[in-house]
């Protein structure tokens, strides 16, 4: 497995992280995601981490970087599916995931993205969210 | 990684297979997916295999089994994201994935599920597909 798939769903992109991240894979994901945002004019990115049993500083930094890169490409990022144990560990480690918005699951993340996309682009003609 | 995450999106469930399947993982996925279908009353299941570089007879049988199990639980299954090279290999191997419907990507798979769900449940009150 050399790449993490990026699924296009309406105006959003969904990235489901299921494998152990390492440097090269993280860089590959950055490249792939930014390219897909540019190619698809995506308004939002959902990163699902429900498979991850641990979020360390490396993963936290990667999530922050992905969110920052998406932001300058005019796409919002929401991290979804964090396990309760992961949230506990994050806070105990003093990691607050700065610049990263979170939602409980994919559906709530989509709602969040839809509402913020609506706020920012009141005049656009196509509806927010998925058909 | 001991489980493949199942993401709920509206009336559909999305399973993105990114890791090498083996017997135990396939059985776990069967258990998890059937339970989620029952728990969420999902109308459709999307199985994304865009990460898979090869679909052998084991994977083919697993996809067929998942589709058959979903069907008896009243959910349609669509396999999406198959790579062109995988399609070539499948046909060359004489595997036609009986009982498994396919679509090019997640969006088309959702359209397929939405339209067939509409046909089967004409009187239901909520719209097909995702909000």
């Amino acid at each position: 497995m050399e790449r993490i798939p990026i699924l296009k769903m309406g105006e959003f992109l969904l990235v489901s992280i299921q494998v152990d991240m390492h440097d090269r894979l993280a860089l590959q994901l950055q490249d792939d995601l930014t390219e897909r945002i540019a190619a698809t004019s995506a308004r939002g990115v959902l990163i699902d981490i429900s498979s991850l049993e641990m979020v360390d500083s490396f993963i936290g930094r990667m999530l922050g970087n992905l969110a920052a890169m998406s932001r300058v490409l005019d796409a919002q990022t929401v991290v979804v599916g964090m396990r309760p144990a992961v949230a506990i560990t994050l806070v105990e480690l003093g990691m607050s995931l700065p610049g990263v918005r979170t939602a409980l699951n994919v559906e709530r993340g989509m709602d969040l993205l839809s509402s913020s996309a609506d706020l920012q682009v009141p005049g656009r003609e196509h509806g927010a969210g998925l058909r």
Side-chain angles (χ1 to χ4, degrees), chain A:
Chain A
M1 174 55 215
E2 84 289 28
R3 280 186 180 207
I4 294 173
I6 299 168
L7 305 177
K8 180 169 182 293
M9 296 189 304
E11 295 186 292
F12 306 140
L13 299 177
L14 173 66
V15 183
S16 177
I17 297 179
Q18 297 178 20
V19 292
D20 287 336
M21 295 301 293
H22 50 75
D23 273 344
R24 202 157 45 81
L25 194 57
L27 290 176
Q28 181 76 54
L29 180 58
Q30 286 180 8
D31 285 353
D32 291 349
L33 185 60
T34 47
E35 262 176 42
R36 282 298 289 276
I37 292 172
T40 61
S41 311
R43 305 287 314 168
V45 178
L46 293 151
I47 302 179
D48 173 66
I49 59 167
S50 56
S51 287
L52 298 186
E53 290 177 347
M54 191 193 62
V55 170
D56 55 13
S57 60
F58 172 70
I59 304 271
R61 201 165 53 241
M62 185 199 70
L63 293 175
N65 285 346
L66 289 176
M69 289 168 196
S70 303
R71 197 176 303 124
V72 292
L73 290 171
D74 194 24
Q76 307 283 320
T77 300
V78 179
V79 171
V80 301
M82 186 184 293
R83 298 188 185 190
V86 170
I88 293 171
T89 313
L90 273 181
V91 171
E92 284 180 349
L93 290 176
M95 290 167 54
S96 58
L97 293 184
V100 178
R101 285 195 297 175
T102 53
L104 190 62
N105 53 37
V106 173
E107 287 184 311
R108 292 212 190 168
M110 281 187 183
D111 289 345
L112 184 60
L113 285 176
S114 298
S115 56
S116 56
D118 272 340
L119 284 176
Q120 286 176 13
V121 197
R124 77 201 157 117
E125 278 156 29
H126 47 297
L130 295 167
R131 274 155 299 141

